[in-house]
Amino acid sequence: MQEAVSAHAELEHERDYVAGLYQRLDELRAEKQQQLDRVRSGGAVGTMQNISERDAFATMYEDRLAQLNAVDDRLVFGRLDLDSGESRYIGRIGLSTADLQRLMVDWRAPEAGVFYQATAFERQGVRRRRHLILKGREVKAVEDDVLDASMLDSDNLQGEGALLAALNSKRTGQMSDIVGTIQAEQDRIIRSPMPGVLVVQGGPGTGKTAVALHRAAYLLYMHRERLKSAGVLLVGPSNSFMKYIERVLPSLGETGVVMSTLGKLMPGISAVPESNQAVAELKGRASMAKVVARAVANRQRIPAGPRKLNVEGTILTLTPKQVIRARDRARSTGKPHNEARTTFVKILLRELTEQLTQALEESSGPGNNADRSYLTEDVRTSRDVRVALNLCWMPLTPEQLIGELLSKPAHLEGATPQLSDAERALLLRDPSAPWTEADVPLLDEAAELLGPMDVSSARDKSQREHQRARDVANAEQSLVNLDEALKASGIDGLVSAEDLAAHNQIQETRFTAAERAASDRTWAFGHIVVDEAQELSAMQWRLLMRRCPLKSFTVVGDIAQTSSAAGAHSWQQVLEPFAQDRWRLEELTVNYRTPSQIAEAAVRMANAAGLVVSAPKAVRDGNWEPIIDKVDDGGLLGKLLEVMPEELDALDGGLLAVIAPDHRVEEARKALAAVYGSRVGAGAGGLDQDITVIGPKEAKGLEFDGVVLLEPAELLDGVSGKVGDLYVAMTRPTQRLRLLAEGDIPPGIEG
């Protein structure tokens, strides 16, 4: 009885304290909203500097409000009782009273580290670690880890296991953070120093992605000034994966990270996956950097013989020797193609102008001292001269260079002497085909070698003038509304369309570092996090290393899960060309997601297929062994529809994924949609779409309560199939795995 009373009192105490924390959170939200409203009510008036300052303050208040709104769910999750007698609450952000009395410590702060690191053998001054389990804003339960043996007889101890409760909770289609249940092994990696390349190797279910996201949040907290200006880039394997993780960082108090797939790292390009693995492997080779360099050099051409040019009726001669001399001088500047072209053009314009001057002086006779300064312009604007110089050294965009390289056999042959005819045939593409993820590093390499287009041309000047005219026209229309707003505010003043257009340019400068970085190919990030990094090709690594000259990376993945033909065989092979010895390896050894029965079956299958995989220890047993159903020929979809009610009933509202070889995904989705309608979706699924149908590559990084896997042998035997595809697919469920097959079941799965 005494125990029950004590437990109730402890719960009520925590509820009162947490209610106070939420009250303070609401006060801060109201304060920032009032500050934002005051700034906005100032209106778009005053000098351009005043307007810019107002916008900067508005952005600051908006960012702080976004942070305060994002941390509402499970705001606080822990309490430390220390030897000193202090109780320290741990939460998503730090909170203090108006007079700066600390109420809650940010989980990333050094003094919060012991919440994750302390053990009974190394208490680090901690007597008790308490987990607070919230639903909404109310504390529903508490769980105590007692580290000081003298407290073991206390009546105030509570708990049934926060970690296992989190692991057994149903999936929602959105990744949840693990900030309240980070384990010591994970915490050590999260708080590892920022410099250099940190590789986090871990098998399925070890929390690699969670560690990567929490590390990004931790580094932003600890290195705020550096990373606020330079930014953090997080690269993931697919759009489904990015959607799956998109809420995690905001829930940890961070909203300024650039999140992107590799296919979107070239501004203006949204690439599709490369469907042909042989093509992906070719385009991913490190040697393709030399191919692009040759393609650029081949566009700096020497004419076969002298070329006659008509300049205002005078015939000039452009010789190969002149072009070679100008080309070599331009190349010696070390500038990119488009910038070096300026040197090339200046040299030849000067020589042609001298030729024209000499010809005119000879034709006019001795003693003629007429001003001939206009001749330079005559040469520069001559159509013959412009055509000739462009044929020798044309300004190019990356899309032009790579598009023509991969669609014109002569261009490709000239840049790839090391490739066979069969390999060149693989690389050739239809000019109208969309760019693929394997093309993006080639485009990026081209952009680096080409440099920006020459903006001094008459055409570009004309385009800028037209754009300026459009801006002013838009601003004039805006002035109609602005004038009424000024009068309504009692303000009498004149604002020109030009002023308003200039103001719009100032507005662009108030974007955050993350927003600016996302649209700037040359942006140098302060840190880059790469998930599913084992899939990246050498050329994709080259692109990423260019984005972070300091080589500060967090790289997470599992070599055993590599499914791309262009992917990694070892971390050393991948990283040493770029980072030499400035990389270190950490390994996660505990499988938190996958029940032991499923994890062991996946490892047996991989080993039987000749793949050596690490086998992280599963922390729990599941309720079911993997279920295997052999199906008669032609009966696969019928069997799928037959077992669906059983699977959905077993998961009791959980999220079910049907993972199939890519060529079977669409027919499986249609068959299920005919029965279950809008409940059937794609990607990571969700609360309204508790059935998702996807291929193994799209499943990377995702997790589901249950998985029905169709034709597992096809994931090994297909054109692009690798052991990693099947290994990934088998290790996605947190509860239940079922395999359906008309063909053979790969060895090892059945034990």
Side-chain angles (χ1 to χ4, degrees):
M1 181 66 178
Q2 178 65 33
E3 233 178 85
V5 172
S6 178
H8 180 73
E10 286 290 307
L11 189 59
E12 288 303 312
H13 169 78
E14 300 299 1
R15 285 174 173 168
D16 289 344
Y17 194 89
V18 170
L21 292 175
Y22 274 107
Q23 181 179 345
R24 180 57 180 156
L25 179 68
D26 290 339
E27 290 171 358
L28 289 171
R29 284 175 175 164
E31 177 185 304
K32 297 305 170 189
Q33 187 64 57
Q34 289 171 1
Q35 291 170 329
L36 179 60
D37 291 344
R38 280 200 299 270
V39 168
R40 286 174 172 168
S41 66
V45 294
T47 67
M48 289 303 164
Q49 181 178 349
N50 289 342
I51 292 171
S52 182
E53 289 175 353
R54 184 210 66 180
D55 290 340
F57 276 112
T59 300
M60 180 178 69
Y61 296 141
E62 287 167 353
D63 289 347
R64 181 58 172 160
L65 264 176
Q67 181 192 50
L68 294 173
N69 289 330
V71 299
D72 197 279
D73 183 40
R74 295 175 294 144
L75 172 66
V76 56
F77 50 80
R79 180 181 116 182
L80 291 172
D81 293 336
L82 307 178
D83 289 342
S84 63
E86 175 192 359
S87 289
R88 183 183 299 167
Y89 283 83
I90 312 296
R92 298 179 179 278
I93 58 173
L95 284 179
S96 300
T97 63
D99 60 355
L100 302 183
Q101 297 297 309
R102 188 166 66 181
L103 298 172
M104 183 172 70
V105 178
D106 191 302
W107 70 274
R108 296 165 289 189
E111 57 266 44
V114 293
F115 182 79
Y116 306 106
Q117 299 157 2
T119 68
F121 299 102
E122 293 185 29
R123 293 196 297 112
Q124 302 184 52
V126 177
R127 302 190 70 204
R128 172 172 62 183
R129 171 175 46 225
R130 170 166 286 181
H131 298 269
L132 305 178
I133 301 169
L134 276 64
K135 184 175 183 180
R137 292 188 164 199
E138 185 180 1
V139 180
K140 290 296 185 181
V142 298
E143 178 209 342
D144 289 334
D145 299 332
V146 177
L147 307 184
D148 182 354
S150 66
M151 292 187 68
L152 289 175
D153 294 331
S154 170
D155 292 332
N156 297 331
L157 303 181
Q158 314 292 325
E160 296 179 359
L163 175 61
L164 287 177
L167 295 175
N168 288 318
S169 63
K170 291 181 173 59
R171 309 302 102 177
T172 65
Q174 289 278 344
M175 184 178 182
S176 298
D177 62 73
I178 60 167
V179 66
T181 57
I182 292 171
Q183 302 301 293
E185 174 182 75
Q186 298 169 326
D187 184 73
R188 175 174 50 79
I189 295 171
I190 289 169
R191 297 174 191 268
S192 181
M194 184 169 74
V197 179
L198 172 65
V199 178
V200 183
Q201 161 75 32
T206 53
K208 298 184 298 296
T209 297
V211 167
L213 293 170
H214 288 70
R215 177 163 168 76
Y218 171 77
L219 293 177
L220 281 162
Y221 178 86
M222 294 299 294
H223 304 275
R224 178 69 61 187
E225 289 308 311
R226 170 180 164 183
L227 295 180
K228 182 179 180 181
S229 58
V232 172
L233 171 65
L234 191 152
V235 179
S238 68
N239 292 330
S240 295
F241 176 83
M242 303 312 287
K243 182 180 178 182
Y244 175 61
I245 67 171
E246 65 185 358
R247 294 183 187 175
V248 175
L249 281 166
S251 77
L252 298 173
E254 295 299 342
T255 57
V257 176
V258 176
M259 301 174 66
S260 177
T261 62
L262 280 159
K264 294 183 178 178
L265 283 181
M266 186 78 180
I269 301 291
S270 185
V272 300
E274 180 63 71
S275 58
N276 189 318
Q277 286 292 298
V279 174
E281 190 276 327
L282 263 177
K283 291 179 178 178
R285 293 177 186 175
S287 59
M288 287 300 292
K290 293 181 179 178
V291 170
V292 177
R294 280 195 210 99
V296 173
N298 290 347
R299 305 303 287 272
Q300 299 162 5
R301 298 167 174 146
I302 308 300
R307 183 182 178 103
K308 301 298 183 181
L309 309 175
N310 187 326
V311 178
E312 298 292 331
T314 300
I315 303 301
L316 307 180
T317 302
L318 180 67
T319 68
K321 186 175 180 180
Q322 287 175 305
V323 175
I324 290 172
R325 185 167 58 247
R327 183 196 66 180
D328 292 346
R329 287 273 302 278
R331 285 179 174 178
S332 70
T333 65
K335 293 179 179 178
H337 173 91
N338 290 330
E339 294 179 39
R341 180 179 182 275
T342 302
T343 300
F344 175 81
V345 169
K346 282 181 178 178
I347 291 171
L348 292 181
L349 286 179
R350 184 175 64 246
E351 293 190 3
L352 291 171
T353 300
E354 290 172 357
Q355 210 181 120
L356 178 60
T357 302
Q358 183 178 352
L360 291 177
E361 287 177 349
E362 289 175 353
S363 65
S364 62
N368 189 333
N369 297 318
D371 178 18
R372 302 193 188 283
S373 59
Y374 64 89
L375 296 180
T376 299
E377 185 65 13
D378 285 350
V379 172
R380 191 185 69 81
T381 57
S382 164
R383 182 181 182 279
D384 277 10
V385 171
R386 285 188 285 112
V387 169
L389 296 188
N390 279 339
L391 286 173
C392 293
W393 195 308
M394 174 76 77
L396 294 164
T397 66
E399 292 86 347
Q400 285 175 311
L401 180 79
I402 302 302
E404 293 179 7
L405 173 68
L406 299 181
S407 63
K408 295 186 176 181
H411 285 221
L412 186 59
E413 184 176 355
T416 58
Q418 81 282 14
L419 294 185
S420 67
D421 290 342
E423 287 173 322
R424 290 192 197 103
L426 277 173
L427 288 177
L428 283 172
R429 66 193 288 274
D430 189 304
S432 63
W435 296 111
T436 71
E437 291 173 354
D439 291 325
V440 169
L442 305 183
L443 291 165
D444 190 74
E445 191 75 24
E448 193 73 9
L449 296 175
L450 294 172
M453 289 281 281
D454 180 7
V455 297
S456 62
S457 69
R459 184 181 67 178
D460 289 324
K461 285 181 179 178
S462 175
Q463 289 176 343
R464 293 202 308 277
E465 288 170 1
H466 284 311
Q467 182 60 49
R468 173 69 177 169
R470 285 195 295 269
D471 289 343
V472 171
N474 290 335
E476 286 173 343
Q477 182 61 41
S478 299
L479 280 173
V480 176
N481 297 329
L482 179 59
D483 185 56
E484 294 300 321
L486 290 172
K487 291 176 182 177
S489 302
I491 299 171
D492 185 17
L494 295 175
V495 180
S496 71
E498 287 76 10
D499 289 338
L500 192 57
H503 165 63
N504 290 338
Q505 292 179 346
I506 290 175
Q507 290 281 67
E508 293 179 2
T509 66
R510 74 183 186 91
F511 293 143
T512 65
E515 291 168 328
R516 296 197 306 273
S519 60
D520 184 355
R521 191 200 69 81
T522 64
W523 189 272
F525 288 95
H527 191 79
I528 296 181
V529 179
V530 187
D531 204 345
E532 300 294 343
Q534 74 278 354
E535 301 299 331
L536 271 60
S537 70
M539 286 298 291
Q540 289 170 330
W541 278 113
R542 189 176 173 90
L543 178 156
L544 290 179
M545 292 292 171
R546 191 177 287 130
R547 295 291 197 277
C548 187
L550 293 176
K551 306 294 188 290
S552 179
F553 279 74
T554 298
V555 173
V556 300
D558 180 14
I559 294 296
Q561 295 186 55
T562 302
S563 60
S564 170
H569 301 295
S570 74
W571 295 119
Q572 182 175 355
Q573 163 228 340
V574 163
L575 295 172
E576 283 196 352
F578 304 104
Q580 288 79 50
D581 60 352
R582 293 186 63 246
W583 67 280
R584 60 197 189 278
L585 178 67
E586 295 279 2
E587 186 153 7
L588 294 167
T589 61
V590 180
N591 184 339
Y592 298 100
R593 178 183 66 221
T594 318
S596 60
Q597 299 96 316
I598 296 174
E600 290 165 5
V603 170
R604 289 196 306 269
M605 178 281 302
N607 290 340
L611 182 66
V612 178
V613 299
S614 58
K617 179 177 175 55
V619 299
R620 64 198 174 97
D621 294 329
N623 294 325
W624 300 278
E625 295 284 341
I627 302 169
I628 300 172
D629 291 319
K630 290 285 291 178
V631 184
D632 294 336
D633 289 348
L636 187 66
L637 291 182
K639 186 64 176 179
L640 173 62
L641 295 176
E642 178 187 325
V643 303
M644 284 296 291
E646 179 185 348
E647 294 302 309
L648 293 170
D649 183 62
L651 297 179
D652 190 23
L655 190 59
L656 176 65
V658 175
I659 302 180
D662 290 337
H663 69 280
R664 292 184 180 272
V665 167
E666 191 57 33
E667 65 176 359
R669 185 178 292 140
K670 287 181 178 178
L672 289 169
V675 178
Y676 296 97
S678 61
R679 290 175 63 182
V680 178
L687 293 175
D688 295 328
Q689 292 187 319
D690 58 343
I691 303 169
T692 183
V693 187
I694 54 176
K697 288 183 177 59
E698 194 178 4
K700 279 186 178 295
L702 308 183
E703 59 182 42
F704 309 95
D705 296 291
V707 166
V708 176
L709 179 54
L710 305 186
E711 293 296 354
E714 288 186 6
L715 298 183
L716 297 178
D717 300 335
V719 172
S720 62
K722 295 186 71 174
V723 178
D725 282 341
L726 181 53
Y727 188 57
V728 167
M730 289 183 65
T731 54
R732 296 308 93 196
T734 65
Q735 304 292 339
R736 185 174 166 97
L737 172 67
R738 189 168 199 146
L739 298 92
L740 307 183
E742 294 178 10
D744 295 333
I745 298 295
I749 294 178
E750 297 181 88

